[in-house]
Amino acid sequence: MQLSSFLQKPPGYMLASILCSLGGFLFGIDTGIIGPVTVMEDFTRYVGNPSPTIHGLIVSSILIPAAISSFFAGRVADALGRPRGIAIGSFIFGVGAALEGASMHIAMFIVGRIIEGIGEGLYLSMMIVYICEISPPRYRGALTTGPQLITTLGLVAGFFTCYGTANIGSSLSWRLPFILLAAYSCVFSAAALIWLPASPRWLTLHGKTEEAAKTWEKLDVPAADREKIMDQYETSVVETAIPDASGNTSAGHVTSTTIAVPKSKKAKILDVLSSDARPRLILAVFLMGMQQLSGIDGVLYYAPLLFQQAGLSSNESAFFASGVSAILIFAVSIPATICADRWGRRANTILGGLGMTATMFLMGSLYAGDAVHAGTGAGRWVVIVCIYAFAVIYCVSWAVGIKCYAAEIQPQRTRASATSIAHGSNWLSNFLVALVTPSLLARTSYGAYFLFGGCTLLTAAVCFVFMPETRGLNLDEINAAFAHRSGVARVTGIREFAGSLRWRRPAAVDA
């Protein structure tokens, strides 16, 4: 009987979530190839041996367009539907990658990255929303971590693609990774458009209740779970008639039982600054910004540069070491994803921050003490091990906890706006790290490590003082936790911190 259960076809919502999560593969590949490509000899000749500032600009030029387009992703998704929005975003992403692969001038390459960023912001912002809207609550946590896991797999593919093309004696060495990325993007775009069913919630809000019922059946979501999914959204938003792509409205078919007077757009935006929402917004913005200021994308984007600085002189060795780091990240992301809800968000963030601080300060101290030499000494091997340790600690702590925490602490009425603002902070910090890391490494071998280590230490300290534990709490209990913090005791203390360290079995209750 157990064998037959394994041989059964997975439910439709699981297949749709897996297909949707494959969009993370594109993001991971781009992250994995841009660092190695920009240090390839053929590429540096092509762009004229760029300065560290230009190097940072080339890498980071994708991020601001992605941040801007992510703010409009919700409107696109509401107008066209989630699968169409994902397909359009990934196709635009592929067009940008194709321009990079075919570029005849550095300006054309940067334009390609800007277009790629527009598509990235669109489709990445819709993926998690789509998975949440089609998944039963008891499986939602595992399914929504799928894109992160597939992203790490794309990172492995990106690094080793460059490792394989590095010895091609022409510009194809750096063009081929982008050509392959463009092909992957077009395949994913077509698959999303053809095989991803529309979100039943989106169909219901557009008055297409019969089609929504058929889609629920196609997704194999039980009736009880359908009600929970719809109730969770209907209690958090004001339901009004939404025009479809052709401009028609279906106000008479809206099924919400919640009746409220719609607020103006200005009032909705200002809600995030209300007395109960403002502290949570500030904490979310701080955490999401510091997640990138930890230096993780400095490590991912410029891994070959870091390994070369540590003493791996050849591109081939640096690319291989970068690929090994990606394999480690992918390997630890699997148990980290499974165990994400088994110990506290607070302890995870604080201990992860302290661990990353230790690795960054150790590397900075070695460089400051002139203990790292290319050909001799143990210093370079300590730095290489610390780079790997930093990436592993990040993946088992901040990578799986901070984005979830930033969203779940928000009041229902401000969750969408506050989460968008927090993600904007994340994109902006990512841009700054990608832009300045080459300049920091060029001017001083240790400055970047002390800067990033200081940011992670500051974050751990702020979280110890201001971050309440939310593991296993419902919305009312989260509200009470923040109300308590704004009152008498702002410092949680050792007892609560120790309690958040306890291992916890995942609850089998629908939530």
Side-chain angles (χ1 to χ4, degrees), residues 460-473:
V462 169
C463 290
F464 186 82
V465 177
F466 295 105
M467 182 180 183
E469 180 56 63
T470 60
R471 181 189 64 179
L473 302 185

Side-chain angles (χ1 to χ4, degrees), residues 309 367-368 437-450:
Q309 187 184 54
Y367 278 114
T437 296
S439 298
L440 289 173
L441 293 174
R443 293 183 180 183
T444 168
S445 58
Y446 56 83
Y449 298 103
F450 283 126

Side-chain angles (χ1 to χ4, degrees), residues 47 49-60 106 110 302 435 438-439:
V47 298
N49 197 19
S51 67
T53 301
I54 298 299
H55 187 183
L57 181 63
I58 292 170
V59 173
S60 63
I106 186 59
I110 293 177
Y302 302 110
L435 180 64
S439 298

Side-chain angles (χ1 to χ4, degrees), residues 102-333:
S103 61
M104 304 304 295
H105 189 272
I106 186 59
M108 183 177 174
F109 187 88
I110 293 177
V111 168
R113 288 198 67 71
I114 291 172
I115 293 174
E116 196 178 9
I118 293 171
E120 180 178 282
L122 284 175
Y123 85 85
L124 284 179
S125 300
M126 299 179 198
M127 280 166 37
I128 299 298
V129 174
Y130 177 77
I131 294 172
C132 285
E133 290 183 352
I134 66 170
S135 304
R138 63 185 177 278
Y139 299 127
R140 186 177 298 145
L143 292 174
T144 53
T145 55
Q148 172 68 23
L149 185 61
I150 300 299
T151 296
T152 62
L153 181 60
L155 194 64
V156 175
F159 279 129
F160 278 104
T161 297
C162 291
Y163 177 71
T165 65
N167 292 325
I168 298 177
S170 67
S171 65
L172 195 62
S173 61
W174 63 266
R175 293 183 189 274
L176 184 57
F178 291 108
I179 294 170
L180 292 174
L181 177 58
Y184 298 151
S185 301
C186 291
V187 171
F188 173 73
S189 176
L193 192 61
I194 295 170
W195 286 306
L196 281 184
S199 163
R201 175 181 174 266
W202 181 84
L203 292 171
T204 301
L205 291 178
H206 285 73
K208 302 175 181 180
T209 52
E210 292 184 7
E211 189 176 347
K214 293 178 181 177
T215 304
W216 282 126
E217 294 293 335
K218 184 178 180 180
L219 291 169
D220 303 314
V221 177
D225 287 321
R226 302 175 198 177
E227 294 176 4
K228 290 179 182 179
I229 294 171
M230 294 304 297
D231 288 345
Q232 190 171 36
Y233 286 102
E234 288 169 358
T235 56
S236 64
V237 296
V238 177
E239 302 290 6
T240 56
I242 301 174
D244 59 23
S246 62
N248 296 323
T249 59
S250 305
H253 295 284
V254 174
T255 59
S256 172
T257 57
T258 302
I259 300 175
V261 178
K263 293 184 177 182
S264 67
K265 290 183 180 179
K266 182 178 180 180
K268 288 181 181 179
I269 293 173
L270 293 180
D271 268 350
V272 299
L273 300 177
S274 61
S275 59
D276 65 321
R278 185 172 59 249
R280 308 186 206 188
L281 171 67
I282 293 172
L283 181 59
V285 168
F286 174 80
L287 288 175
M288 291 288 278
M290 285 300 181
Q291 186 187 44
Q292 295 301 330
L293 290 176
S294 67
I296 183 60
D297 277 330
V299 170
L300 296 180
Y301 286 137
Y302 302 110
L305 198 60
L306 298 179
F307 287 121
Q308 286 177 352
Q309 187 184 54
L312 300 181
S313 55
S314 71
N315 277 347
E316 189 173 357
S317 298
F319 292 173
F320 183 78
S322 302
V324 172
S325 70
I327 291 175
L328 276 176
I329 290 171
F330 175 68
V332 300
S333 293

